[in-house]
Amino acid sequence: MISRRTLAASVAALVVAPLLSACGGDSDAATGTGGSGTKKVGDVNIGPDQNRIRGKKVDDIAALVPAAIRKRGTLKLGQSADASPPLGFYATDDKTRIGSEIDLATLVADTLGLKLDNDEVSWENLFVGLDSGKFDAVFSNVTVTEERKEKYDFATYRLDNISFEAKKGTDWKIEGPQDVAGRTIAVSSGTNQEKILVDWSKQNEKAGRKPVSIKYFQKDTDYYLALQSGRIDAYLGPSPSAAYHVASAGQSQIIGTLSGAGDDLQGKIAATTKKGSGLVDAYAAAVNHVIEDGSYGRVLKRWGLSSEAVPKSEINPPGLPKI
């Protein structure tokens, strides 16, 4: 098992490595591990003192929570233990869980008048925990799929997008296959974004345009070093990770964003609960409340995810189709 300290060090390496020559004199921006208080990498606070945005109980929404959970007073929450900034990772004290997912879950719990009882587990155990009743909710970047809807209920709270990231200063924009013809683009093997890029390359060839030269690397830091050195023109990856790197490193920019589900469907991320638990209406109502009062938008902004905001929470919308 990877230790929390190893995860924290990996996060620091991810955001600091491209900056080694640029921030050596800025002790705050260069801080990646150890200590307490407010620590920043670029404009992003990765210290344990988060000054998290909080909400207030709304009685009519709290009344939607099943009586047994209201009586208990806690929302048993499952989140992935992986270090995946800005969604969820450990702060510089190596023990405080931070990120957009726990911030949004906190707002929902506050609105429902419940205290978070948070537990980080491996990805597969999130669903085991829902099945067994260990968790009332999972806030952990779960995409709505038709297969998952057979067992779980969903209340959406963020778009599921992927983004092209290029070196800062370019005027290149990507909106479709024609914009990547003849370009060298890196992507992670076995991902949905790889499938989309391969499909786009085939479309280009069929239309008489040049294919995409697709490159693969072992680590995220390798992608970003290749981008800065000019060995690749762009990197296609999950929008949250791209947005976090842009905000923290300051050497790149987003030049195109599309649905992680491809051209035919907008993918959506959702609070997840066991089907029939009676909680999905409460989650959706709470998300809609924090959208309306502006606290939702403030959370997404602080993590660089404003482009993934939803106008409202949907219950069990169309999901990624079965393969």
Side-chain angles (χ1 to χ4, degrees), residues 170-234:
T170 182
D171 58 2
W172 175 31
K173 301 296 182 184
I174 298 177
E175 296 180 351
Q178 68 279 1
D179 300 315
V180 297
R183 297 281 191 164
T184 301
I185 298 177
V187 71
S188 295
S189 178
T191 60
N192 202 43
Q193 51 263 31
E194 180 195 24
K195 179 181 181 300
I196 291 170
L197 192 59
V198 169
D199 287 344
W200 277 19
S201 185
K202 290 178 180 178
Q203 289 179 48
N204 281 331
E205 289 188 277
K206 188 174 181 180
R209 297 185 290 262
K210 292 181 179 180
V212 180
S213 176
I214 301 175
K215 300 295 182 184
Y216 302 92
F217 296 92
Q218 293 297 315
K219 299 180 294 185
D220 288 338
T221 47
D222 294 336
Y223 287 102
Y224 293 128
L225 289 172
L227 185 62
Q228 291 306 314
S229 68
R231 287 182 289 147
I232 59 174
D233 296 314

Side-chain angles (χ1 to χ4, degrees), residues 79-319:
Q79 291 196 318
S80 173
D82 292 340
S84 183
L87 302 177
F89 58 113
Y90 290 100
T92 53
D93 65 351
D94 200 24
K95 61 183 180 181
T96 304
R97 190 71 175 178
I98 63 175
S100 62
E101 301 294 74
I102 195 163
D103 280 6
L104 290 172
T106 298
L107 277 180
V108 168
D110 286 345
T111 303
L112 298 178
L114 301 172
K115 182 179 179 181
L116 276 188
D117 178 8
N118 192 45
D119 191 9
E120 294 91 35
V121 297
S122 62
W123 173 259
E124 64 274 11
N125 280 322
L126 292 174
F127 300 97
V128 172
L130 285 173
D131 294 342
S132 68
K134 179 180 179 180
F135 300 139
D136 301 315
V138 165
F139 279 74
S140 197
N141 202 42
V142 179
T143 300
V144 181
T145 72
E146 290 303 309
E147 183 175 6
R148 288 172 180 164
K149 281 165 60 179
E150 294 176 358
K151 293 184 66 176
Y152 308 104
D153 284 324
F154 295 93
T156 60
Y157 62 86
R158 210 181 73 243
L159 299 179
D160 178 17
N161 287 334
I162 57 178
S163 291
F164 290 91
E165 187 178 355
K167 202 169 182 178
K168 193 171 185 178
T170 182
D171 58 2
W172 175 31
K173 301 296 182 184
I174 298 177
E175 296 180 351
Q178 68 279 1
D179 300 315
V180 297
R183 297 281 191 164
T184 301
I185 298 177
V187 71
S188 295
S189 178
T191 60
N192 202 43
Q193 51 263 31
E194 180 195 24
K195 179 181 181 300
I196 291 170
L197 192 59
V198 169
D199 287 344
W200 277 19
S201 185
K202 290 178 180 178
Q203 289 179 48
N204 281 331
E205 289 188 277
K206 188 174 181 180
R209 297 185 290 262
K210 292 181 179 180
V212 180
S213 176
I214 301 175
K215 300 295 182 184
Y216 302 92
F217 296 92
Q218 293 297 315
K219 299 180 294 185
D220 288 338
T221 47
D222 294 336
Y223 287 102
Y224 293 128
L225 289 172
L227 185 62
Q228 291 306 314
S229 68
R231 287 182 289 147
I232 59 174
D233 296 314
Y235 169 44
L236 177 60
S239 282
S241 299
Y244 181 80
H245 183 255
V246 167
S248 59
Q251 293 187 330
S252 57
Q253 66 188 62
I254 303 299
I255 60 170
T257 298
L258 58 147
S259 169
D263 296 332
D264 298 327
L265 178 71
Q266 174 59 61
K268 293 176 181 176
I269 304 297
T272 310
T273 184
K274 188 176 181 180
K275 185 168 286 295
S277 70
L279 278 163
V280 72
D281 290 334
Y283 294 155
V287 172
N288 283 327
H289 173 76
V290 299
I291 289 173
E292 292 168 6
D293 74 11
S295 55
Y296 166 85
R298 288 161 58 205
V299 166
L300 293 188
K301 183 178 180 180
R302 77 185 295 235
W303 294 107
L305 299 178
S306 296
S307 64
E308 296 207 340
V310 295
K312 67 175 183 177
S313 180
E314 301 174 85
I315 294 176
N316 296 329

